[in-house]
Amino acid sequence: MQNLLITGGSQGIGQQTAIEAAKKGMFIGINYNSNDKAAEETLSKVKQLGGDGIALKCDVSKHNAVKDMFKIFVDTAGSLDGVFNNAGTTGPVSKIHELDPKDFKSLIDTNVIGAFNIAQESSKIMIKQKRGNIVNMSSIAAEIGGAGELVHYAMSKGAIDSLTYGMAKELGVYGIRVNAVAPGLIATDIHEKAGDASRVERLLPSVPLGRVGLALEVADTVMWLLSKYSSYVCGTIIRVSGGR
Ligand code: NAP
């Protein structure tokens, strides 16, 4: 694989995946929504590590902006070998009956509509190429439900699981592999953004391996899915959750 577009590539798991891809000399599209500084810092790390790339500011929930982003990426990189469909948010930690409908809509805009926009535009390009590799970002929340804190988020990731199963069947016939990763509790800023910085500590007793996961441990799994070493893996959701 020579080039890779990562949505939400400026921070957390996406950023770590950009770093791992850079070590393999790839050209990386680092998509982000608002934090220019984080994107520029990620791009600079990518270049220091022997990769190259481009920072792509685009809210994945905006369909026309997503179309433009893919055009810029393909015009610059020449093709689209891989996509890590990773951008996402948890929305605020809240019980169902207390969640503000505005927060719910905003979550669905990013996690569901955004992920679908990326899937759709990737598909258009990869079907023409008759090759490609897509890794979607799910969460074990889709299976465990997020009761008491993040049911809204769990529901949005359930949609990613369905997207992954359906896309794998629809695109496999063109030689395109589609899989997903489903992380558990991973140490990134997402928990603080959800308004509950103590979330990781609070949930640690539920992790059989007894520790929080690292962004690198998810990035390594994504890189494996994007590599030749997983050449017959398609339509699979891999848990990266320390047994949780
Ligand atoms: P993070 O550190 O908060 O990073 C989120 C990234 O997504 C940032 O680069 C952010 O860019 C970007 N982003 C957010 N909304 C966007 C939008 N509308 N359009 C484009 N980019 C957008 O989060 P993370 O923990 O790495 O999470 C990444 C993915 O993993 C998410 O889908 C999350 O649900 C999933 N996940 C995380 C965990 C965990 O424990 N951390 C567990 C399971 C699944 P800006 O900062 O510029 O907005």
Side-chain angles (χ1 to χ4, degrees):
M1 177 165 306
Q2 286 174 336
N3 63 60
L4 172 66
L5 176 62
I6 303 176
T7 67
S10 62
Q11 291 187 70
I13 297 166
Q15 180 193 52
Q16 191 64 50
T17 307
I19 287 169
E20 299 315 302
K23 291 178 189 164
K24 297 194 180 302
M26 290 185 194
F27 183 91
I28 303 142
I30 300 161
N31 159 258
Y32 67 106
N33 185 32
S34 58
N35 190 332
D36 301 314
K37 189 164 171 271
E40 286 311 321
E41 280 170 9
T42 304
L43 181 57
S44 139
K45 273 187 203 159
V46 159
K47 289 182 175 168
Q48 277 164 26
L49 289 165
D52 197 1
I54 180 172
L56 295 163
K57 186 172 190 167
C58 162
D59 179 347
V60 293
S61 72
K62 310 278 187 249
H63 190 227
N64 285 336
V66 167
K67 276 170 94 167
D68 292 346
M69 174 175 74
F70 274 94
K71 184 170 179 341
I72 293 168
F73 183 82
V74 173
D75 285 351
T76 316
S79 64
L80 181 68
D81 298 332
V83 170
F84 181 24
N85 192 1
N86 163 73
T89 165
T90 57
V93 164
S94 168
K95 295 202 163 105
I96 297 174
H97 65 281
E98 288 166 349
L99 185 69
D100 186 327
K102 279 194 213 121
D103 289 331
F104 180 64
K105 186 176 179 308
S106 161
L107 169 79
I108 297 299
D109 280 348
T110 298
N111 288 15
V112 179
I113 295 178
F116 189 82
N117 286 339
I118 297 297
Q120 189 175 47
E121 292 310 307
S122 307
S123 304
K124 286 181 192 168
I125 297 165
M126 289 180 177
I127 285 171
K128 276 195 200 139
Q129 294 177 166
K130 291 204 168 43
R131 65 181 178 84
N133 191 324
I134 298 170
V135 178
N136 291 325
M137 176 52 92
S138 180
S139 164
I140 61 160
E143 282 188 57
I144 66 178
E149 52 159 13
L150 288 173
V151 172
H152 44 293
Y153 171 71
M155 178 185 153
S156 74
K157 293 300 185 179
I160 300 298
D161 289 1
S162 303
L163 176 70
T164 303
Y165 293 133
M167 279 184 90
K169 291 191 172 117
E170 200 167 306
L171 301 190
V173 297
Y174 299 99
I176 301 160
R177 290 198 289 125
V178 184
N179 294 288
V181 284
L185 212 50
I186 308 298
T188 71
D189 292 344
I190 203 168
H191 312 287
E192 202 175 332
K193 291 176 194 167
D196 186 359
S198 66
R199 186 167 178 264
V200 170
E201 208 175 312
R202 178 166 53 80
L203 293 176
L204 258 191
S206 67
V207 184
L209 286 189
R211 65 172 177 86
V212 67
L214 304 176
L216 176 61
E217 292 171 299
V218 183
D220 280 343
T221 310
V222 174
M223 291 307 292
W224 179 76
L225 283 170
L226 293 171
S227 77
K228 65 177 184 179
Y229 299 108
S230 60
S231 52
Y232 202 55
V233 180
C234 185
T236 296
I237 297 170
I238 301 184
R239 286 171 157 241
V240 188
S241 67
R244 185 162 170 248

